[in-house]
Each structure stands twice: as C-alpha cells, then as structure tokens.
Coordinates of all heavy atoms in Angstrom, one line a residue:
M267 N -20.7 -21.0 60.9 CA -21.8 -21.3 60.2 C -21.5 -21.0 58.7 O -21.0 -20.0 58.3 CB -23.0 -20.5 60.6 CG -24.2 -20.8 59.9 SD -25.6 -20.5 61.0 CE -26.9 -21.2 60.1
E268 N -21.9 -22.0 57.8 CA -21.6 -21.8 56.4 C -22.6 -20.8 55.8 O -23.7 -20.7 56.1 CB -21.9 -23.2 55.7 CG -20.7 -24.2 55.9 CD -21.0 -25.4 55.1 OE1 -22.0 -26.1 55.3 OE2 -20.2 -25.7 54.2
T269 N -22.0 -20.1 54.8 CA -22.9 -19.2 54.0 C -23.5 -19.9 52.9 O -23.1 -21.0 52.5 CB -22.0 -18.0 53.5 OG1 -21.1 -18.5 52.5 CG2 -21.2 -17.2 54.5
V270 N -24.5 -19.3 52.2 CA -25.2 -19.9 51.2 C -24.3 -20.2 50.0 O -24.3 -21.4 49.5 CB -26.4 -19.1 50.7 CG1 -27.0 -19.5 49.4 CG2 -27.5 -18.9 51.8
P271 N -23.4 -19.3 49.6 CA -22.4 -19.8 48.5 C -21.5 -20.9 48.9 O -21.3 -21.8 48.0 CB -21.6 -18.5 48.2 CG -22.4 -17.4 48.7 CD -23.3 -17.9 49.9
E272 N -21.1 -21.0 50.1 CA -20.3 -22.2 50.6 C -21.1 -23.4 50.5 O -20.5 -24.5 50.0 CB -19.8 -21.9 52.0 CG -18.8 -20.8 52.1 CD -18.4 -20.4 53.5 OE1 -19.2 -20.8 54.5 OE2 -17.4 -19.7 53.8
I273 N -22.3 -23.4 50.9 CA -23.2 -24.6 50.9 C -23.4 -25.1 49.4 O -23.3 -26.3 49.2 CB -24.5 -24.4 51.6 CG1 -24.3 -24.1 53.1 CG2 -25.4 -25.6 51.4 CD1 -25.5 -23.8 53.9
L274 N -23.7 -24.1 48.5 CA -23.9 -24.4 47.1 C -22.6 -25.0 46.5 O -22.7 -26.0 45.7 CB -24.4 -23.2 46.4 CG -25.8 -22.7 46.7 CD1 -26.1 -21.4 45.9 CD2 -26.8 -23.8 46.2
R275 N -21.5 -24.5 46.9 CA -20.2 -25.0 46.4 C -20.0 -26.5 46.9 O -19.6 -27.3 46.1 CB -19.1 -24.1 46.9 CG -17.8 -24.2 46.1 CD -16.7 -23.2 46.4 NE -16.9 -22.5 47.6 CZ -17.3 -21.2 47.8 NH1 -17.8 -20.6 46.7 NH2 -17.4 -20.6 49.0
R276 N -20.3 -26.8 48.1 CA -20.3 -28.1 48.6 C -21.3 -29.0 47.9 O -20.9 -30.2 47.7 CB -20.5 -28.0 50.1 CG -20.2 -29.4 50.8 CD -20.2 -29.2 52.3 NE -21.2 -28.4 52.9 CZ -22.5 -29.0 53.4 NH1 -22.7 -30.2 53.1 NH2 -23.4 -28.1 53.8
L277 N -22.5 -28.5 47.7 CA -23.4 -29.4 47.0 C -23.0 -29.8 45.6 O -23.1 -30.9 45.1 CB -24.8 -28.6 46.8 CG -25.6 -28.3 48.1 CD1 -26.8 -27.6 47.8 CD2 -25.9 -29.5 49.0
R278 N -22.4 -28.8 44.9 CA -21.9 -29.1 43.5 C -20.7 -30.0 43.5 O -20.6 -30.8 42.6 CB -21.5 -27.7 42.9 CG -22.7 -26.9 42.4 CD -22.2 -25.7 41.8 NE -23.4 -24.9 41.3 CZ -23.8 -23.8 41.9 NH1 -23.1 -23.2 42.9 NH2 -24.8 -23.1 41.4
A279 N -19.8 -29.9 44.6 CA -18.6 -30.7 44.6 C -18.9 -32.2 45.0 O -18.3 -33.1 44.4 CB -17.7 -30.2 45.7
N280 N -20.0 -32.4 45.8 CA -20.3 -33.8 46.2 C -21.7 -34.0 46.4 O -22.2 -33.9 47.6 CB -19.5 -34.1 47.5 CG -19.7 -35.5 47.9 OD1 -20.2 -36.4 47.1 ND2 -19.3 -35.9 49.2
P281 N -22.5 -34.1 45.4 CA -24.0 -34.4 45.6 C -24.4 -35.6 46.3 O -25.5 -35.7 46.8 CB -24.6 -34.3 44.1 CG -23.4 -34.6 43.3 CD -22.1 -34.2 44.0
K282 N -23.5 -36.5 46.5 CA -23.8 -37.8 47.2 C -23.7 -37.6 48.8 O -24.3 -38.4 49.4 CB -22.9 -38.9 46.7 CG -23.1 -39.4 45.3 CD -22.3 -40.5 45.0 CE -22.5 -40.9 43.5 NZ -21.7 -41.9 43.1
G283 N -23.0 -36.7 49.3 CA -22.8 -36.5 50.6 C -23.4 -35.4 51.3 O -22.8 -34.6 52.0
V284 N -24.7 -35.2 50.9 CA -25.4 -34.0 51.4 C -26.5 -34.3 52.4 O -27.3 -35.3 52.1 CB -26.2 -33.3 50.2 CG1 -27.0 -32.1 50.7 CG2 -25.1 -32.8 49.2
R285 N -26.5 -33.7 53.5 CA -27.6 -34.0 54.5 C -28.8 -33.4 54.1 O -28.9 -32.3 53.5 CB -27.1 -33.4 55.9 CG -26.0 -34.0 56.6 CD -25.7 -33.5 57.9 NE -26.8 -32.6 58.3 CZ -26.5 -31.4 59.1 NH1 -25.3 -31.2 59.4 NH2 -27.4 -30.6 59.4
F286 N -29.9 -34.1 54.3 CA -31.2 -33.7 53.9 C -31.6 -32.3 54.5 O -32.2 -31.4 53.9 CB -32.3 -34.7 54.4 CG -33.7 -34.3 54.0 CD1 -34.2 -34.4 52.7 CD2 -34.6 -33.7 55.0 CE1 -35.5 -33.9 52.3 CE2 -35.8 -33.4 54.7 CZ -36.3 -33.4 53.4
A287 N -31.3 -32.1 55.8 CA -31.5 -30.8 56.5 C -30.8 -29.6 55.7 O -31.5 -28.6 55.6 CB -31.1 -30.9 57.9
D288 N -29.6 -29.8 55.3 CA -28.9 -28.8 54.5 C -29.6 -28.5 53.2 O -29.9 -27.3 52.8 CB -27.5 -29.2 54.2 CG -26.6 -29.3 55.5 OD1 -27.0 -28.6 56.5 OD2 -25.5 -29.8 55.3
L289 N -30.1 -29.5 52.5 CA -30.7 -29.3 51.2 C -32.1 -28.7 51.4 O -32.5 -27.8 50.7 CB -30.9 -30.7 50.5 CG -31.4 -30.6 49.0 CD1 -30.5 -29.8 48.2 CD2 -31.6 -31.9 48.4
A290 N -32.8 -29.1 52.4 CA -34.1 -28.5 52.7 C -34.0 -27.0 53.1 O -34.8 -26.2 52.6 CB -34.8 -29.2 53.9
G291 N -32.9 -26.7 53.8 CA -32.7 -25.3 54.1 C -32.4 -24.4 52.9 O -32.9 -23.3 52.8
I292 N -31.6 -25.0 52.0 CA -31.3 -24.3 50.7 C -32.6 -24.1 49.9 O -32.9 -23.0 49.3 CB -30.2 -25.0 49.9 CG1 -28.9 -24.8 50.6 CG2 -30.2 -24.6 48.5 CD1 -28.3 -23.4 50.6
C293 N -33.4 -25.1 49.8 CA -34.6 -25.1 49.1 C -35.5 -24.1 49.7 O -36.2 -23.3 49.0 CB -35.2 -26.4 49.0 SG -34.4 -27.6 47.9
D294 N -35.7 -24.0 51.0 CA -36.5 -23.0 51.7 C -36.0 -21.6 51.4 O -36.9 -20.8 51.1 CB -36.5 -23.2 53.2 CG -37.2 -24.5 53.7 OD1 -38.0 -25.1 52.8 OD2 -37.0 -24.9 54.8
R295 N -34.8 -21.5 51.4 CA -34.2 -20.1 51.1 C -34.5 -19.6 49.6 O -34.9 -18.5 49.4 CB -32.7 -20.1 51.3 CG -32.0 -18.9 50.8 CD -31.1 -18.3 51.9 NE -30.1 -17.4 51.4 CZ -30.4 -16.2 51.0 NH1 -31.6 -15.8 50.8 NH2 -29.4 -15.4 50.6
F296 N -34.3 -20.5 48.7 CA -34.5 -20.1 47.3 C -35.9 -20.3 46.8 O -36.3 -19.5 45.9 CB -33.5 -21.0 46.3 CG -32.1 -20.5 46.4 CD1 -31.2 -21.0 47.2 CD2 -31.8 -19.5 45.5 CE1 -29.9 -20.5 47.2 CE2 -30.4 -19.0 45.5 CZ -29.5 -19.6 46.4
F297 N -36.7 -21.2 47.2 CA -38.0 -21.5 46.7 C -39.1 -21.2 47.6 O -40.3 -21.3 47.2 CB -38.1 -23.0 46.3 CG -36.9 -23.5 45.5 CD1 -36.3 -24.7 45.8 CD2 -36.5 -22.8 44.4 CE1 -35.2 -25.2 45.0 CE2 -35.4 -23.3 43.7 CZ -34.8 -24.4 43.9
G298 N -38.9 -20.8 48.9 CA -39.9 -20.6 49.8 C -40.4 -21.8 50.5 O -39.7 -22.9 50.4
E299 N -41.5 -21.8 51.2 CA -42.1 -22.9 51.9 C -42.5 -23.9 50.9 O -43.0 -23.7 49.9 CB -43.2 -22.5 52.8 CG -42.8 -21.6 54.0 CD -41.9 -22.4 55.0 OE1 -42.3 -23.6 55.3 OE2 -40.9 -21.9 55.4
P300 N -42.3 -25.2 51.3 CA -42.7 -26.3 50.4 C -44.2 -26.4 50.3 O -45.0 -26.0 51.3 CB -42.2 -27.6 51.0 CG -42.0 -27.3 52.4 CD -41.6 -25.8 52.5
R301 N -44.8 -26.7 49.2 CA -46.3 -26.8 49.1 C -46.7 -28.1 49.7 O -47.9 -28.2 50.1 CB -46.7 -26.7 47.6 CG -46.4 -27.9 46.8 CD -47.0 -27.8 45.4 NE -46.8 -29.1 44.8 CZ -47.1 -29.3 43.5 NH1 -47.7 -28.4 42.8 NH2 -46.9 -30.5 43.1
Q302 N -45.8 -29.1 49.8 CA -46.2 -30.3 50.5 C -45.0 -30.7 51.3 O -43.9 -30.6 51.0 CB -46.5 -31.4 49.4 CG -46.7 -32.8 50.1 CD -46.8 -33.9 49.1 OE1 -47.1 -33.6 48.0 NE2 -46.7 -35.1 49.5
Q303 N -45.3 -31.1 52.5 CA -44.3 -31.5 53.5 C -44.7 -32.7 54.3 O -45.4 -32.6 55.2 CB -44.0 -30.3 54.5 CG -42.8 -30.5 55.3 CD -42.5 -29.2 56.0 OE1 -42.9 -28.2 55.7 NE2 -41.7 -29.3 57.2
G304 N -44.4 -33.9 53.7 CA -44.8 -35.1 54.3 C -43.7 -35.7 55.2 O -42.8 -34.9 55.7
S305 N -43.8 -36.9 55.5 CA -42.8 -37.5 56.5 C -41.4 -37.6 55.8 O -40.4 -37.3 56.5 CB -43.3 -38.9 56.8 OG -43.4 -39.7 55.7
S306 N -41.3 -38.0 54.6 CA -40.0 -38.0 54.0 C -39.8 -37.1 52.7 O -38.7 -37.0 52.2 CB -39.6 -39.5 53.7 OG -40.5 -39.9 52.6
H307 N -40.8 -36.5 52.2 CA -40.8 -35.7 51.0 C -41.1 -34.3 51.3 O -42.0 -34.0 52.1 CB -41.8 -36.3 50.0 CG -41.4 -37.6 49.3 ND1 -40.7 -37.7 48.2 CD2 -41.7 -38.8 49.8 CE1 -40.6 -39.0 47.9 NE2 -41.1 -39.7 48.9
R308 N -40.5 -33.5 50.5 CA -40.9 -32.0 50.5 C -40.9 -31.6 49.0 O -40.0 -31.9 48.3 CB -39.8 -31.2 51.2 CG -39.8 -31.4 52.7 CD -38.7 -30.7 53.3 NE -38.9 -29.2 53.4 CZ -38.8 -28.5 54.5 NH1 -38.4 -29.1 55.6 NH2 -39.0 -27.2 54.5
V309 N -42.1 -31.0 48.6 CA -42.3 -30.6 47.3 C -42.3 -29.0 47.2 O -43.1 -28.4 47.8 CB -43.6 -31.1 46.7 CG1 -43.7 -30.7 45.2 CG2 -43.6 -32.7 46.8
Y310 N -41.5 -28.5 46.3 CA -41.4 -27.0 46.1 C -42.0 -26.6 44.8 O -41.6 -27.3 43.7 CB -39.9 -26.6 46.2 CG -39.4 -26.8 47.7 CD1 -38.8 -27.9 48.0 CD2 -39.5 -25.8 48.6 CE1 -38.2 -28.2 49.2 CE2 -38.9 -26.0 49.9 CZ -38.4 -27.2 50.2 OH -37.9 -27.4 51.5
R311 N -42.7 -25.6 44.7 CA -43.2 -25.0 43.5 C -42.3 -24.1 42.8 O -41.6 -23.3 43.4 CB -44.5 -24.3 43.8 CG -45.3 -24.0 42.6 CD -46.7 -23.5 43.1 NE -47.8 -23.6 42.3 CZ -48.2 -24.7 41.6 NH1 -47.5 -25.8 41.6 NH2 -49.3 -24.6 40.8
M312 N -42.1 -24.2 41.5 CA -41.1 -23.4 40.7 C -42.0 -22.3 39.9 O -43.1 -22.6 39.6 CB -40.3 -24.2 39.7 CG -39.5 -25.3 40.3 SD -38.1 -24.6 41.3 CE -38.7 -24.9 42.9
P313 N -41.4 -21.2 39.6 CA -42.1 -20.2 39.0 C -42.2 -20.2 37.5 O -42.6 -19.4 36.8 CB -41.3 -18.9 39.4 CG -39.9 -19.4 39.5 CD -40.0 -20.8 40.1
W314 N -41.7 -21.3 36.9 CA -41.8 -21.5 35.4 C -42.8 -22.6 35.0 O -43.1 -23.4 35.8 CB -40.4 -21.8 34.9 CG -39.7 -22.9 35.4 CD1 -39.9 -24.2 35.3 CD2 -38.6 -22.7 36.5 NE1 -39.0 -24.9 36.0 CE2 -38.3 -24.1 36.8 CE3 -38.0 -21.7 37.1 CZ2 -37.3 -24.4 37.7 CZ3 -37.0 -22.0 38.0 CH2 -36.7 -23.4 38.4
P315 N -43.3 -22.4 33.8 CA -44.2 -23.5 33.3 C -43.5 -24.8 33.0 O -42.4 -24.9 32.9 CB -44.8 -22.8 32.0 CG -43.8 -21.9 31.6 CD -43.1 -21.5 32.8
G316 N -44.3 -25.8 32.8 CA -43.9 -27.1 32.5 C -44.0 -28.0 33.6 O -45.2 -28.2 34.2
D317 N -42.9 -28.6 34.1 CA -43.0 -29.4 35.4 C -42.5 -28.5 36.5 O -41.3 -28.5 36.8 CB -42.1 -30.6 35.2 CG -42.2 -31.6 36.4 OD1 -43.2 -31.5 37.1 OD2 -41.4 -32.5 36.4
P318 N -43.4 -27.7 37.1 CA -43.0 -26.7 38.0 C -42.9 -27.1 39.5 O -43.5 -26.6 40.4 CB -44.1 -25.6 37.9 CG -45.3 -26.5 37.6 CD -44.8 -27.7 36.8
R319 N -42.0 -28.1 39.7 CA -41.8 -28.6 41.0 C -40.4 -29.2 41.2 O -39.8 -29.7 40.3 CB -42.9 -29.6 41.4 CG -42.9 -30.8 40.7 CD -44.0 -31.7 41.1 NE -44.3 -32.8 40.1 CZ -43.5 -33.8 39.9 NH1 -42.5 -34.1 40.8 NH2 -43.7 -34.8 39.0
V320 N -40.0 -29.1 42.4 CA -38.7 -29.8 42.8 C -39.1 -30.6 44.0 O -39.7 -30.1 45.0 CB -37.6 -28.9 43.2 CG1 -36.5 -29.5 43.9 CG2 -37.1 -28.2 41.9
N321 N -38.8 -32.0 44.0 CA -39.2 -32.9 45.0 C -37.9 -33.4 45.7 O -37.0 -33.8 45.0 CB -40.0 -34.0 44.5 CG -40.3 -35.1 45.5 OD1 -40.5 -34.8 46.6 ND2 -40.3 -36.4 45.0
I322 N -37.8 -33.2 47.0 CA -36.6 -33.8 47.7 C -37.1 -34.8 48.7 O -38.2 -34.7 49.2 CB -35.8 -32.7 48.3 CG1 -36.5 -31.9 49.4 CG2 -35.1 -31.8 47.3 CD1 -35.6 -31.0 50.2
Q323 N -36.2 -35.8 49.0 CA -36.7 -36.9 49.8 C -35.6 -37.1 50.9 O -34.4 -37.2 50.6 CB -36.8 -38.2 49.0 CG -37.4 -39.4 49.7 CD -37.5 -40.5 48.7 OE1 -37.3 -40.4 47.5 NE2 -38.1 -41.6 49.2
N324 N -36.0 -37.4 52.1 CA -35.2 -37.7 53.2 C -34.9 -39.2 53.2 O -35.8 -40.0 53.4 CB -35.8 -37.3 54.5 CG -34.9 -37.4 55.7 OD1 -33.8 -38.0 55.7 ND2 -35.3 -36.8 56.8
D325 N -33.7 -39.5 53.0 CA -33.2 -41.0 52.9 C -32.3 -41.2 54.1 O -31.1 -41.2 53.9 CB -32.6 -41.3 51.6 CG -32.2 -42.7 51.4 OD1 -32.9 -43.6 52.1 OD2 -31.4 -43.1 50.6
R326 N -32.9 -41.5 55.3 CA -32.2 -41.8 56.5 C -31.2 -40.5 56.8 O -30.1 -40.9 57.1 CB -31.4 -43.1 56.4 CG -32.3 -44.3 56.4 CD -31.5 -45.5 56.3 NE -30.9 -45.4 54.9 CZ -30.7 -46.5 54.1 NH1 -30.9 -47.7 54.5 NH2 -30.1 -46.3 52.9
G327 N -31.7 -39.4 56.7 CA -31.0 -38.2 57.0 C -30.1 -37.6 55.9 O -29.6 -36.5 56.1
M328 N -30.0 -38.3 54.8 CA -29.2 -37.8 53.6 C -30.2 -37.5 52.5 O -31.3 -38.1 52.4 CB -28.2 -38.9 53.2 CG -27.2 -39.3 54.3 SD -26.2 -37.8 54.8 CE -25.1 -37.7 53.5
A329 N -29.8 -36.6 51.6 CA -30.5 -36.3 50.4 C -30.1 -37.2 49.3 O -28.9 -37.7 49.3 CB -30.3 -34.9 50.0
K330 N -31.0 -37.5 48.4 CA -30.5 -38.4 47.2 C -29.7 -37.5 46.2 O -30.1 -36.3 46.0 CB -31.8 -38.9 46.6 CG -32.5 -39.9 47.5 CD -33.6 -40.7 46.8 CE -34.1 -41.7 47.9 NZ -34.7 -42.8 47.2
A331 N -28.7 -38.1 45.6 CA -27.8 -37.3 44.8 C -28.5 -36.7 43.6 O -28.3 -35.6 43.2 CB -26.6 -38.2 44.4
Y332 N -29.4 -37.5 43.0 CA -30.1 -37.0 41.7 C -30.9 -35.8 42.1 O -31.2 -34.9 41.3 CB -30.8 -38.1 41.0 CG -32.1 -38.5 41.6 CD1 -33.4 -37.9 41.1 CD2 -32.3 -39.4 42.6 CE1 -34.6 -38.2 41.7 CE2 -33.5 -39.8 43.1 CZ -34.7 -39.2 42.7 OH -35.9 -39.5 43.2
Q333 N -31.5 -35.8 43.3 CA -32.3 -34.7 43.7 C -31.5 -33.4 44.0 O -31.9 -32.3 43.8 CB -33.2 -35.1 44.9 CG -34.2 -36.2 44.5 CD -35.0 -36.8 45.7 OE1 -34.6 -36.6 46.9 NE2 -36.1 -37.4 45.4
V334 N -30.3 -33.7 44.6 CA -29.4 -32.6 44.8 C -29.1 -31.9 43.5 O -29.1 -30.8 43.4 CB -28.1 -33.0 45.6 CG1 -27.1 -31.9 45.7 CG2 -28.4 -33.6 46.9
R335 N -28.7 -32.7 42.5 CA -28.4 -32.2 41.1 C -29.6 -31.4 40.6 O -29.5 -30.4 39.9 CB -27.9 -33.3 40.2 CG -26.5 -33.8 40.6 CD -26.0 -34.7 39.6 NE -26.7 -36.1 39.5 CZ -26.4 -37.1 40.2 NH1 -25.4 -37.0 41.1 NH2 -27.0 -38.2 40.1
Q336 N -30.8 -31.9 40.8 CA -32.1 -31.3 40.4 C -32.2 -29.9 41.0 O -32.6 -29.0 40.4 CB -33.3 -32.2 40.7 CG -34.7 -31.7 40.3 CD -35.7 -32.6 40.8 OE1 -35.8 -32.9 41.9 NE2 -36.6 -33.0 39.8
V337 N -31.9 -29.9 42.3 CA -32.0 -28.6 43.0 C -31.0 -27.6 42.5 O -31.3 -26.4 42.3 CB -31.8 -28.8 44.6 CG1 -31.6 -27.5 45.3 CG2 -33.0 -29.5 45.1
I338 N -29.8 -28.0 42.2 CA -28.8 -27.2 41.7 C -29.2 -26.6 40.4 O -29.0 -25.4 40.1 CB -27.4 -27.9 41.6 CG1 -26.9 -28.2 43.0 CG2 -26.4 -27.1 40.8 CD1 -25.7 -29.1 43.0
R339 N -29.7 -27.4 39.5 CA -30.2 -27.0 38.1 C -31.3 -26.0 38.3 O -31.3 -25.0 37.6 CB -30.6 -28.2 37.3 CG -29.5 -28.9 36.6 CD -30.0 -29.9 35.6 NE -31.0 -30.8 36.1 CZ -30.7 -32.0 36.6 NH1 -29.4 -32.4 36.9 NH2 -31.7 -32.8 37.0
A340 N -32.3 -26.2 39.2 CA -33.4 -25.3 39.5 C -32.9 -23.9 40.0 O -33.4 -22.9 39.6 CB -34.3 -25.9 40.4
I341 N -31.9 -23.9 40.9 CA -31.3 -22.7 41.4 C -30.7 -21.9 40.3 O -30.8 -20.7 40.1 CB -30.4 -23.0 42.5 CG1 -31.1 -23.4 43.8 CG2 -29.5 -21.7 42.9 CD1 -30.3 -24.0 44.9
E342 N -29.9 -22.6 39.5 CA -29.2 -22.0 38.3 C -30.2 -21.3 37.4 O -30.0 -20.3 36.9 CB -28.2 -22.9 37.6 CG -27.1 -23.3 38.4 CD -26.3 -24.5 37.9 OE1 -26.8 -25.1 36.9 OE2 -25.1 -24.7 38.4
R343 N -31.3 -22.1 37.1 CA -32.4 -21.6 36.2 C -33.0 -20.3 36.9 O -33.3 -19.3 36.2 CB -33.4 -22.6 35.9 CG -34.5 -22.2 34.9 CD -35.3 -23.4 34.6 NE -36.3 -22.9 33.6 CZ -37.2 -23.7 33.1 NH1 -37.3 -25.0 33.5 NH2 -38.2 -23.2 32.3
L344 N -33.3 -20.4 38.1 CA -33.9 -19.3 38.9 C -33.0 -18.1 38.9 O -33.5 -17.0 38.7 CB -34.2 -19.8 40.2 CG -35.0 -18.8 41.2 CD1 -36.4 -18.7 40.6 CD2 -35.1 -19.4 42.6
E345 N -31.7 -18.2 39.1 CA -30.8 -17.1 39.1 C -30.7 -16.5 37.7 O -30.3 -15.3 37.5 CB -29.5 -17.6 39.6 CG -29.4 -17.8 41.1 CD -28.2 -18.2 41.6 OE1 -27.4 -18.8 40.9 OE2 -28.0 -18.1 42.9
G346 N -30.9 -17.3 36.6 CA -30.8 -16.8 35.3 C -32.0 -16.1 34.8 O -32.0 -15.5 33.7
M347 N -33.1 -16.1 35.6 CA -34.4 -15.4 35.2 C -34.2 -13.9 35.3 O -33.6 -13.4 36.1 CB -35.6 -16.0 36.0 CG -35.8 -17.5 35.7 SD -37.3 -18.0 36.6 CE -38.5 -17.8 35.3

C-alpha cells in the first residue's frame, strides 16, 4: 500500500493519470470530510479566506488534471500555514 508522500509524488508527476478514489482519499486525509458529496462532485472547505473550497469531480473513475493540480496547490498552502 502506498504512503501519503508516495501518492503525492505520483500526483505531482502525472496529474492526468490519477484515479478519483486516490484523489478523494488524499483530500479526505488533508481536508477532512467533504461539505458536499454528490454523485460526481466532492467539495472540501479550506481554512483560509477568499475562495475557501476545493472541488473534485469523478470523470468515469478518473480525476480531472486541473483539479489534481488545484488539490496539490491547496495541500502546499495548507502545509505552509
């Protein structure tokens, strides 16, 4: 089983080839439970002001690349706090 740093390294290396379940697991670990969990979307609340959310979408089992990059930026910002 992959560790969190290994998964993050894989996300950074290839944001286009990420399974939605992997990204959702990382988001749950870093951001807690989503405030909204619909059929294809999960919305996570961020602890900073402005646009305090990260939205990820299930696209036939895969995560969208721009959303993977958005999650990586949010994790980096969260770790820098």
Side-chain angles (χ1 to χ4, degrees):
M267 183 155 189
E268 284 184 299
T269 65
V270 172
E272 290 171 345
I273 294 171
L274 288 174
R275 200 170 17 259
R276 188 168 45 87
L277 295 180
R278 287 181 178 107
N280 184 15
K282 292 182 181 178
V284 177
R285 290 186 7 217
F286 178 78
D288 291 342
L289 188 62
I292 287 291
C293 287
D294 289 347
R295 168 127 165 72
F296 280 93
F297 311 133
E299 288 295 313
R301 71 173 189 184
Q302 176 185 340
Q303 189 169 340
S305 59
S306 64
H307 289 265
R308 291 174 75 129
V309 179
Y310 295 89
R311 191 168 206 50
M312 299 294 105
W314 52 78
D317 189 14
R319 62 184 166 79
V320 167
N321 176 35
I322 62 173
Q323 183 178 5
N324 189 345
D325 185 22
R326 293 175 295 213
M328 300 301 285
K330 295 190 174 203
Y332 79 93
Q333 292 171 344
V334 173
R335 289 188 291 271
Q336 180 185 50
V337 167
I338 291 168
R339 282 192 304 274
I341 290 170
E342 289 170 350
R343 184 172 179 184
L344 188 64
E345 288 177 336
M347 292 182 96

